[in-house]
Amino acid sequence: MIEVIKYNAKYKLYWDAFVADSKNGTFMLQRGYMEYHADRFTDHSLLFYKKGKVIALLPANEVGQEVQSHGGLSYGGFVTDKRMKAALMLEVVQATKLYFQELNFERITYKAIPHIYHQLPAEEDLYALFRHGATLCRRDLNSVIDVGAGLGYSKTRRWEVKKAKRGNVQLQVSNDYESFMQLEQEVLQQKHNKVPVHTASEVRLLASLFPENIKLYTAAEAGELLAGVLMYETDTVAHCQYMAASVRGKELAGIDLLVDWLLTEVYSHKPHFSFGISTEQQGHYLNEGLVWNKESYGARTVVHDFYELRLTD
């Protein structure tokens, strides 16, 4: 039998230790990251036990009669370790359904952890969701470079990088999160009439909690910020969480030079370099200009799937 326990603070050490030793968890699924915005979400995360040992975790929150895994994270499916096998995951999903049904929830919206973040094969959850009647409700398109494949840049991108190298642009690691997030906000506001998910103070807090995972890289000219990329680093993926360039930065191709540096030097040892998604409207709209820009560096598509599991007949 699977025992299901709702998370509370007394389980923090157990939770974090399991994530650290899992086959598909990342620092974003540690409680320190999940709880920086705890005031925005009603947490309903779960721990699963069998024979007295933790076998899986589910980062989750509740919104009305819906359970989300997890609404405040880019991904947040079941976290498992190397002991998880297909038949056991069928039991875990069944136990999850029964647990939330007894609490009168109507559905679970599930964010799968993309396979590029897995350190071992870990898609037992996708099969179990299928077996339990879950349906695909959203599919985002993420542009990812397989660093070892060496597809290379497009002709236009090669020219931009070459042009940038002729300038006087300095590349560096930075901790000036305020200036960068201000630039990011200006770019998002101008292009999409949106604001960043994170504030500068939140980015600074998270970087202080996870200094090996969250780093800011910038391009500057005579001390003036031209462009920046906020990177989220896991064991298998270097992910661009935020990327922005000023008008002057675009003129000097500062972002091209910066990304080239990240790809060829800083993260050349990583299996994957992720630019993030280029889809909107629950995956039904593809921003073709945005995805072309990412593909011009040699990126190709990895999908990020969302499922809905109904809990009522």
Side-chain angles (χ1 to χ4, degrees):
M1 292 291 292
I2 305 293
E3 181 183 9
V4 183
I5 302 293
K6 183 180 179 182
Y7 175 83
N8 64 55
K10 73 179 183 181
Y11 294 105
K12 182 180 186 301
L13 293 178
Y14 298 101
W15 180 285
D16 287 347
F18 189 88
V19 171
D21 196 41
S22 69
K23 64 178 179 176
N24 63 343
T26 70
F27 75 95
M28 290 179 66
L29 303 176
Q30 298 273 355
R31 298 308 306 192
Y33 189 96
M34 291 178 62
E35 292 170 3
Y36 83 90
H37 52 12
D39 58 318
R40 302 179 207 169
F41 298 92
T42 301
D43 191 86
H44 205 134
S45 300
L46 302 178
L47 299 92
F48 299 85
Y49 286 80
K50 188 167 186 177
K51 297 180 180 180
K53 293 184 178 181
V54 181
I55 58 169
L57 308 173
L58 181 65
N61 65 284
E62 58 183 75
V63 180
Q65 297 308 111
E66 176 185 356
V67 177
Q68 301 176 338
S69 73
H70 178 292
L73 302 173
S74 300
Y75 46 81
F78 288 104
V79 180
T80 61
D81 64 14
K82 62 184 178 182
R83 296 171 296 175
M84 179 56 66
K85 297 179 181 178
L88 181 57
M89 181 55 78
L90 288 172
E91 295 182 47
V92 169
V93 173
Q94 177 65 16
T96 306
K97 287 175 61 178
L98 292 175
Y99 172 87
F100 285 122
Q101 284 172 337
E102 290 177 0
L103 295 175
N104 297 314
F105 286 97
E106 296 178 355
R107 64 186 178 275
I108 301 171
T109 301
Y110 185 88
K111 293 182 181 181
I113 301 173
H115 73 268
I116 56 174
Y117 291 96
H118 300 176
Q119 298 182 60
L120 291 172
E123 293 186 349
E124 293 87 0
D125 59 333
L126 302 187
Y127 177 73
L129 287 168
F130 162 74
R131 283 284 301 273
H132 283 281
T135 56
L136 181 68
C137 62
R138 173 177 169 180
R139 172 167 278 172
D140 284 335
L141 183 152
N142 184 15
S143 298
V144 177
I145 292 177
D146 183 328
V147 177
L151 291 182
Y153 302 159
S154 68
K155 183 177 180 180
T156 299
R157 193 60 54 212
R158 289 196 304 271
W159 185 85
E160 291 289 346
V161 172
K162 186 176 181 180
K163 178 181 74 172
K165 289 181 177 179
R166 292 196 297 263
N168 187 32
V169 178
Q170 297 83 46
L171 305 176
Q172 63 185 0
V173 182
S174 172
N175 62 1
D176 188 358
Y177 302 107
E178 289 73 21
S179 295
F180 171 70
M181 292 305 293
Q182 178 63 34
L183 175 60
E184 178 69 27
Q185 181 172 333
E186 292 171 359
V187 171
L188 282 178
Q189 189 71 42
Q190 180 181 14
K191 285 189 173 182
H192 307 289
N193 196 29
K194 295 181 179 180
V195 296
V197 174
H198 301 89
T199 65
S201 60
E202 287 173 340
V203 171
R204 181 171 291 281
L205 171 64
L206 292 171
S208 70
L209 293 173
F210 301 97
E212 298 303 313
N213 304 104
I214 301 177
K215 298 173 185 176
L216 174 62
Y217 297 89
T218 60
E221 179 189 44
E224 177 187 352
L225 178 64
L226 299 175
V229 182
L230 185 70
M231 297 297 301
Y232 275 23
E233 179 180 345
T234 70
D235 288 334
T236 61
V237 180
H239 170 70
C240 301
Q241 183 72 9
Y242 290 112
M243 178 185 295
S246 66
V247 173
R248 177 62 174 166
K250 292 177 181 176
E251 291 174 355
L252 296 178
I255 201 74
D256 299 280
L257 188 63
L258 186 55
V259 171
D260 178 70
W261 179 49
L262 295 174
L263 281 170
T264 60
E265 296 186 39
V266 180
Y267 292 114
S268 60
H269 63 291
K270 290 291 178 184
H272 306 290
F273 188 95
S274 164
F275 284 104
I277 66 171
S278 301
T279 40
E280 304 170 26
Q281 301 174 18
Q282 303 295 302
H284 290 285
Y285 173 76
L286 175 64
N287 186 326
E288 295 189 17
L290 182 59
V291 75
W292 176 87
N293 183 63
K294 298 170 182 178
E295 290 172 344
S296 70
Y297 288 101
R300 296 296 182 265
T301 296
V302 170
V303 295
H304 184 188
D305 286 345
F306 296 64
Y307 295 86
E308 181 178 86
L309 181 60
R310 302 292 298 183
L311 300 175
T312 57
D313 295 327

